[in-house]
Amino acid sequence: MSRSAQRQISSTKNIKHPNHYIQALHKEDWAIDEEMAVSYKGRWRALFDKNLPSSLHLEIGCGNGKHFSSLCLKAPQDCFLAIELKYKPLIQTIRRVTKNSSKNGRVIRYNARWIDNLFEPEELNHVYIHFPDPWLKKRRSKKHQLIQPDFCRKLYQIQKANSFLELKTDSKDYFEQSVREFKKAGYKLEKYNSHLYKQDRPVTDHLSQFELIFVQKNIPIKYSLFRHP
């Protein structure tokens, strides 16, 4: 782990009074802490059944794991990783996966800003970023947002050609900013929708925690799909 990344990611083993979820990180077989994660760079597929194909997908920010577990369940032939910094969402996510009897999901505790510490160039296939945090608010600086030029360039480098990147958010400003940055990084915009469910209400069983809240409140959800050429 680089020194800059170390300053951004607290060490789990150094937490003096770990709560239930922090303790669970080292008890769950398919949960990987920040120190172990960097050792899998370039060899993540070794964590999965050798009979699974080479497709390796990533969700950045998994919330309570509802969307991630649905991905694992619907595509048992593929391998899925979820990256999250907070302990509770990580544990909730992997428990949802195992509850569904899926064997193709793993969760990683890490800061996605330093994603190049975890993956080699062209190691990943599809990437999902749903409702990235923090949202744009007057009291927050844009520099704290995940989707910045440097992050977009890193993500572009670690994805395979012809893979896709899916983005959802309720923030109009953050959405438009993100679309611009991903295009600058080299992605090709294939789909763009400023109100995803304006015509048809979605089936909710695969929606993330935040998406379900926004749908119930009839808050427009912005959606874009990018292709890595």
Side-chain angles (χ1 to χ4, degrees), residues 67-122:
H67 176 256
F68 183 75
S69 61
S70 72
L71 289 174
C72 296
L73 190 62
K74 292 177 181 178
Q77 75 281 0
D78 289 347
C79 306
F80 292 91
L81 298 171
I83 183 172
E84 173 67 56
L85 194 56
K86 299 175 183 177
Y87 294 97
K88 184 176 180 179
L90 277 174
I91 302 307
Q92 289 179 326
T93 295
I94 199 58
R95 287 177 178 173
R96 282 185 184 273
V97 171
T98 55
K99 185 178 181 180
N100 287 339
S101 298
S102 298
K103 299 180 179 181
N104 58 335
R106 305 290 187 272
V107 296
I108 308 164
R109 181 179 185 259
Y110 212 76
N111 190 328
R113 287 174 179 266
W114 311 103
I115 198 167
D116 54 326
N117 289 338
L118 300 182
F119 301 101
E120 293 285 357
E122 301 182 21

Side-chain angles (χ1 to χ4, degrees), residues 151-212:
F151 168 78
C152 296
R153 288 191 294 267
K154 291 175 180 177
L155 192 60
Y156 184 85
Q157 291 172 358
I158 63 178
Q159 279 193 266
K160 290 180 178 292
N162 203 39
S163 56
F164 68 70
L165 165 64
E166 184 177 85
L167 172 69
K168 290 183 181 180
T169 180
D170 66 305
S171 171
K172 180 177 181 294
D173 291 338
Y174 198 5
F175 179 68
E176 293 177 350
Q177 168 196 317
S178 300
V179 169
R180 290 194 299 268
E181 296 300 344
F182 282 126
K183 289 171 69 175
K184 288 179 183 178
Y187 289 96
K188 303 300 180 183
L189 181 62
E190 286 195 351
K191 295 181 181 179
Y192 179 102
N193 195 324
S194 60
H195 197 333
L196 184 59
Y197 304 124
K198 185 176 182 179
Q199 301 299 328
D200 300 302
R201 193 173 181 85
V203 177
T204 60
D205 60 348
H206 68 283
L207 299 186
S208 68
Q209 176 186 10
F210 288 117
E211 187 166 10
L212 181 58

Side-chain angles (χ1 to χ4, degrees), residues 9-15 18-37 62 82-95 106-110:
I9 308 169
S10 60
S11 176
T12 299
K13 68 179 183 181
N14 292 334
I15 296 176
N19 62 26
H20 165 75
Y21 294 105
I22 297 173
Q23 294 177 32
L25 181 64
H26 289 147
K27 294 179 181 178
E28 295 286 345
D29 291 337
W30 293 347
I32 301 155
D33 71 14
E34 63 286 340
E35 294 188 18
M36 184 64 71
C62 52
I83 183 172
E84 173 67 56
L85 194 56
K86 299 175 183 177
Y87 294 97
K88 184 176 180 179
L90 277 174
I91 302 307
Q92 289 179 326
T93 295
I94 199 58
R95 287 177 178 173
R106 305 290 187 272
V107 296
I108 308 164
R109 181 179 185 259
Y110 212 76

Side-chain angles (χ1 to χ4, degrees), residues 107-154:
V107 296
I108 308 164
R109 181 179 185 259
Y110 212 76
N111 190 328
R113 287 174 179 266
W114 311 103
I115 198 167
D116 54 326
N117 289 338
L118 300 182
F119 301 101
E120 293 285 357
E122 301 182 21
E123 188 173 1
L124 284 176
N125 294 97
H126 306 325
V127 174
Y128 303 84
I129 307 178
H130 290 181
F131 307 96
D133 183 45
W135 298 276
L136 183 60
K137 297 179 181 179
K138 290 183 179 180
R139 67 177 182 271
R140 291 185 183 270
S141 170
K142 286 187 177 181
K143 68 181 181 180
H144 295 302
Q145 292 180 324
L146 173 64
I147 301 175
Q148 303 283 350
D150 185 56
F151 168 78
C152 296
R153 288 191 294 267
K154 291 175 180 177

